[in-house]
Amino acid sequence: MTSTAPTGRTGTGAVKIAFIGAGSVVFTQGLLADLFAFPELRRIHVALHDIDAERLATAEGAARHIAAVRGAEPQITAHPDRRAALDGADFVINTVQVGMNAATRTDFHIPARYGLRQTIGDTLGVGGIFRALRTFPLLRALADDIGELCPDAWLLNYTNPMAMNVMYLARATPLRRVVGLCHSVHWTARDLAELLDVPYEEITYLAAGVNHQAWMLRFERGGRSLYPLLDDAIAKDPQLLRRVRVDMYRRLGYYPTETSEHSSEYVPWYLHHDSEVERLRLPIGTYLDIIEENTAEYERTRDALAAGSPLPVEGTMEYAPQIIHSIVSGTPRTVYGNVPNHGLVDNLPADAVVEVPCLVDSLGVQPTRVGALPPQCAALNRTYVSANDLVVRAAVEGEPRHIRHAAMTDPATAAALPVERIWDLCDDLVRAHADLLQPELREVLGH
C-alpha cells in the first residue's frame, strides 16, 4: 500500500477531498475542523455528497462556517450526484449508513423478538451481518466510480462493520488504496492514561487484532509496563470489575480496545446470561438511544445554521485528517488502520482484515508487521474473522446460505439461539431488508 503524494487534479490544482455520506453532519464537522486546522490544507477542495438534500445543504452550511472560524479558504462544493463529487478526487472519505435509522431499528427489533440481545449491533452478530449486506452494493458502486473518476485516490472508510467492509472491497473490487479508520485504539489509550492518572503524552503503546477487538499488547511509560498499575487500580476499585473489558482483561491478560458495550457482543459469555447483564451493567439496545441522540444533534446543527447562530468548532483527533496531512505534506506519523493482513499478524488468516499501526508519509499508508498475537487473543479474533469471511462470501458468491452460516458461527448468536431459530431469524431479516440487498441474497430458505 504505497503511493506518491497527490498533486491535485482539480481545476484550481487544490487537493480534492470527497465526502461520501456528508449528511452525517456532526461527524463531517469534526473532520473538517481537523482538516482546516492544518495550514497546508486550508485551501483544499471539499466536495460534499449526500442523497438527502436537506442534510447535504446542512453539511455545506456547516463546512462554510467551520472554514470561516478556522480562517481557511477552501473551495466547498455540494453534489447530489456522487460521481460529480468523486471526479478528480485525491481522497475519498466514506461515512455512508445505508438504510439509516429505520434499518438499524429493524436490526434490533426483529432479533429482540427472538430473545437475542444486542447493545450496538454494528460490527458482528446479526446486526453487523445485515448492516454489511446492505452496505456492500453501495461499496461496489462506489469502487466502480472511484476506478473510473479518481483511480489514484485513497479511500478512507469509516462505515461499519469496518472489517467486513474492507474485506469486501479487497475481494470484490480492484481498489487497493483502502484503509479502514476507527478511533477505538486511540481513545482506549487515552482512557487508560486518565484512569491511571498518567499524562497521555508520556505513554507509548502497541495494539493489534481486529477492529473493535484489538488488544493493547504493550502499554508503557518510560519503557516500563503500565499493566501493574492497572492491576492496582482494579484492586482498589471493585466497580471496575463491573466492566466487560476489565473482566476480559483479567482473564485474557490483554486489554481490549473497544467499549464494554461493543466487546460484550463478540463473545458468547455475557449477553445471554441475565446475571452477567446485571453484574456488568450492560445496556441492551443502547445504540437505539445513540441514533436518536445523533438525529437530535443533527437537527440542532441544522436549526442553528438556519438561525445564523454560532456553532462550536471542535477537533476530533480522527485519523483521516492526519492521513491526508501526512500524504500531502510528507509529515510522518503513526495511525491505526484496518487493512488486509498479508503477513502483518502471523496467527490470523492471510486475507483477514486486521487493525495494526501504520506509518503514513508522502508514500501513503504503510502497515506495520506485528508478528504473532497472544494465542488466546488470536483464538477469539479467528472466530470473529470466520464470521466476516462467511458474510463476504455470501455477497461475492451470491450464496444466501452463507448468511445463515455466518450467524451460526457468530458467538453471541450461537449462545442465545438454537440453529433452527437462527435460520428463522435470518429469514425474517432478509424479508425486512430485501430492497437493500443484492438480488441473489433475497431468498428465504426456511429450515
Side-chain angles (χ1 to χ4, degrees):
M1 280 197 174
T2 60
S3 76
T4 56
T7 58
R9 292 180 292 278
T10 65
T12 62
V15 170
K16 182 176 180 180
I17 305 170
F19 283 74
I20 307 302
S24 303
V25 171
V26 176
F27 195 63
T28 299
Q29 282 181 268
L31 294 176
L32 290 171
D34 287 343
L35 286 166
F36 296 152
F38 292 113
E40 298 92 337
L41 301 179
R42 288 181 179 170
R43 294 181 181 270
I44 57 178
H45 178 183
V46 173
L48 305 169
H49 163 68
D50 203 276
I51 61 173
D52 185 308
E54 180 191 277
R55 282 182 170 266
L56 180 59
T58 302
E60 182 182 6
R64 296 190 185 282
H65 171 77
I66 294 166
V69 172
R70 287 288 204 218
E73 297 179 358
Q75 178 185 358
I76 297 172
T77 57
H79 306 274
D81 175 40
R82 181 178 67 221
R83 290 173 59 83
L86 290 172
D87 191 17
D90 299 292
F91 300 94
V92 179
I93 297 176
N94 179 43
T95 60
V96 170
Q97 182 183 347
V98 176
M100 293 292 287
N101 293 352
T104 299
R105 292 189 189 99
T106 296
D107 286 342
F108 276 83
H109 292 158
I110 291 178
R113 295 203 295 264
Y114 282 76
L116 182 61
R117 293 165 170 162
Q118 298 177 98
T119 51
I120 305 296
D122 71 352
T123 300
L124 213 60
V126 291
I129 290 169
F130 281 88
R131 181 179 284 235
L133 294 172
R134 294 194 301 271
T135 305
F136 291 166
L138 176 278
L139 293 178
R140 173 67 73 97
L142 177 61
D144 288 344
D145 286 348
I146 290 173
E148 179 184 347
L149 299 167
C150 52
D152 295 326
W154 280 92
L155 173 57
L156 308 178
N157 179 69
Y158 276 104
T159 297
N160 284 321
M162 182 64 66
M164 292 189 208
N165 287 340
V166 175
M167 181 182 284
Y168 177 82
L169 285 165
R171 292 190 188 176
T173 80
L175 297 188
R176 292 298 172 263
R177 290 182 178 176
V178 177
V179 59
L181 302 177
C182 176
H183 48 229
S184 60
V185 172
H186 170 82
W187 286 111
T188 294
R190 280 195 169 270
D191 291 346
L192 283 173
E194 181 178 353
L195 176 63
L196 302 182
D197 197 24
V198 175
Y200 174 76
E201 296 73 19
E202 297 181 13
I203 68 170
T204 55
Y205 58 90
L206 171 66
V210 294
N211 182 239
H212 291 173
Q213 198 187 61
W215 314 94
M216 297 297 285
L217 302 177
R218 295 174 63 182
F219 186 64
E220 300 173 352
R221 182 190 193 187
R224 300 185 65 178
S225 176
L226 289 170
Y227 271 146
L229 198 60
L230 177 59
D231 295 337
D232 291 342
I234 294 170
K236 292 174 183 176
D237 184 0
Q239 288 303 308
L240 291 175
L241 296 174
R242 301 188 68 188
R243 298 182 185 180
V244 164
R245 64 202 309 201
V246 171
D247 192 75
M248 291 178 67
Y249 162 66
R250 290 178 64 240
R251 300 176 191 282
L252 298 169
Y254 297 89
Y255 202 77
T257 60
E258 243 314 337
T259 64
S260 291
E261 292 83 0
H262 274 282
S263 295
S264 68
E265 292 190 308
Y266 316 141
V267 294
W269 314 317
Y270 302 117
L271 287 171
H272 181 53
H273 305 283
D274 292 344
S275 59
E276 291 296 86
V277 170
E278 181 179 357
R279 177 175 76 92
L280 298 167
R281 300 171 294 191
L282 288 170
I284 307 303
T286 190
Y287 195 66
L288 295 176
D289 296 329
I290 292 172
I291 63 174
E292 295 303 327
E293 292 168 8
N294 289 342
T295 300
E297 183 64 21
Y298 159 73
E299 292 172 349
R300 286 191 290 271
T301 299
R302 178 200 62 198
D303 296 345
L305 286 167
S309 302
L311 292 172
V313 177
E314 300 176 356
T316 61
M317 302 186 74
E318 288 288 348
Y319 287 138
Q322 297 180 54
I323 288 173
I324 293 169
H325 178 256
S326 286
I327 293 176
V328 170
S329 70
T331 304
R333 52 169 55 90
T334 298
V335 303
Y336 276 79
N338 292 272
V339 295
N341 189 8
H342 300 328
L344 301 171
V345 179
D346 292 344
N347 47 356
L348 292 181
D351 61 350
V353 169
V354 295
E355 192 163 51
V356 294
C358 301
L359 168 68
V360 192
D361 58 19
S362 61
L363 296 177
V365 180
Q366 303 154 71
T368 301
R369 183 178 181 277
V370 174
L373 296 177
Q376 67 275 26
C377 298
L380 288 178
N381 285 171
R382 283 195 294 269
T383 300
Y384 174 119
V385 168
S386 293
N388 289 351
D389 172 69
L390 288 163
V391 177
V392 173
R393 285 179 182 275
V396 172
E397 300 172 11
E399 174 49 83
R401 292 173 64 87
H402 283 331
I403 301 173
R404 285 77 178 170
H405 299 155
M408 291 164 62
T409 303
D410 173 66
T413 305
L417 299 176
V419 68
E420 288 192 358
R421 295 292 283 167
I422 292 174
W423 280 56
D424 289 341
L425 171 57
C426 288
D427 280 350
D428 280 350
L429 286 167
V430 165
R431 292 186 187 97
H433 292 306
D435 290 347
L436 298 175
L437 305 180
Q438 65 191 65
E440 304 94 323
L441 301 183
R442 298 173 186 173
E443 185 178 356
V444 173
L445 301 181
H447 298 323

